[in-house]
Amino acid sequence: MLLFLSVPQPRPPGARTRPGAARVAWWRRQQLRRLRGLLRGLRGRPGAGSRRRGRMALCGQAAGAASLPSELIVHIFSFLPAPDRLRASASCSHWRECLFYPALWPQLRICLRVSPAEQPRLEFLMRKCGWFVRELRVEFAAENYLSGGGGPGDGSGADTGTGGEEVEALQLSTRWLEVLRTYLELVLCVLVSIRNNRIQQLFEEILSNSRQLKWLSCGFMLEIVTPTSLSSLSNSIANTMEHLSLLDNNIPGNSTLITTVELERFVNLRSLALDFCDFTAEMARVLTDSNHVPLQRLSLLVHNVSVMHKSLDNMPNDEHWKALSRKSTSLRVYIMAFDIKSEDMLKILKPSIPLERIHFDSYITCVSGAIVDLISRQYDKFLTHFILMNDVIDTSGFPDLSDNRNEDPLVLLAWRCTKLSLLAIHGYTVWAHNLIAIARLRGSDLKVLEVTEESIDFDQGELADQDVDPVHNLIEQVSLGLGQPWHAVMDIESLSVFTEPNRHFYREMQSFSEDI
């Protein structure tokens, strides 16, 4: 099931409609005229001959819109756009009953204002369509959500005279909080209604009926995959499966989407993606058994929600990772960490993990310079991708990983990790001279260097030099170092690695696994 929740941008004042809009409206009017003509013919016009009335009387009842079979009404509805279906359903109660036939609504687009008055309308539609719709798009009016009451730092309701800029930046207006609360209630109404959608049952039917399934990838699918889903697979299919991805942050308590006993059936598995807390020492032992083919790609999602509810005590130790590496010399690991504390990362990052890619995403807890330094020392032979993302609200500025250190950890990372090909940073202070050093150290081997403009800072000496434009000099020196044109990322919204970390991880995991 596809679910979209979006807040569209308002159309600029005076913007014209699309050229085809008039033709679409004309076509709709023609369809309605045709439908009304059909209804008039069925009801019989005033002044019609007695022969017609006699023939209709043989039916034993008046022949009108209500007497049409449901199949015919649904067929008529199938030719009409959604707004015209709603108008046509006003003919009688029988037509209204046919309006929400599942085949008519494989896709549903709902436009709402962020208002409590919209909730009854939304609940009605979800009650009617939520259990069968396959693609659902809910859009909220931009003028009501984005500008209705302001947002953080808009100044409304803030005491600028006493609190200063910091208080003004942190204080949220009452109106904005009300709009946000209403928005979340409407979203919750949508999510609750589709939990009973038949897609979960259909998914298990697909698994049970599969005969040549090689690749099964299920990520962040709103509880579509359950701890019992894999039991639908026959042993013959499980034995030939080559890739398995099971990711869902909403699994409660100590439940897991796959158990060690279940994993024993997947003897031909070459690629695996799991929640880190679900990947236990017993699973690592199973993957090193002689009856299993060597595992080549392992993607692990470390989420603070999982770490809070599940224990890290059962994770593989360094000996297990050594055994996995001996089993498969081509094994490579991809880790994404969401808001994980430094002390937990120190437990997770075992020296023998063949770590090729790592992605940190923080909203509450920042990554420390010690963790970056540890990664550069332990995984210098494998690391190719390093992503550092921080979206913590901190009025004192972005954290500086080089504080109280002789060398910047990011520069050391570029120096030690000779295979580094991608480096992306947002929300951490990157000094201009260190960015130039990174570009010179890695040169053209560093294919992607993405640093947001707001993360870059300059020394006072660079800013004081009146003869050199520090920004122009930075762009020129980094471009020379990389051997290709370079510029800082100005629009963070254009990069999914910063704005959609879950989706980015899922796409990267797919390409990471396809490399084999």
Side-chain angles (χ1 to χ4, degrees), residues 121-138:
R121 173 189 172 200
L122 183 61
E123 289 176 349
F124 172 78
L125 288 173
M126 290 296 96
R127 188 167 61 252
K128 291 290 186 181
C129 301
W131 64 276
F132 60 73
V133 67
R134 291 291 168 264
E135 180 176 329
L136 176 61
R137 184 184 296 272
V138 183

Side-chain angles (χ1 to χ4, degrees), residues 495-510:
L495 294 175
S496 64
V497 63
F498 297 129
T499 59
E500 299 176 326
N502 268 6
R503 184 176 295 183
H504 176 81
F505 171 74
Y506 189 73
R507 282 199 300 261
E508 284 295 301
M509 179 272 296
Q510 295 280 93

Side-chain angles (χ1 to χ4, degrees), residues 108 173 284 400 420 461:
L108 184 61
S173 70
D400 185 359
L420 190 68

Side-chain angles (χ1 to χ4, degrees), residues 220 247-252 257 275 301-303 305-306 338 502:
F220 314 112
L247 298 166
D248 193 340
N249 298 331
N250 297 314
I251 298 299
L257 293 178
D275 187 292
L301 178 66
V302 195
H303 202 285
V305 175
S306 296
F338 278 94
N502 268 6

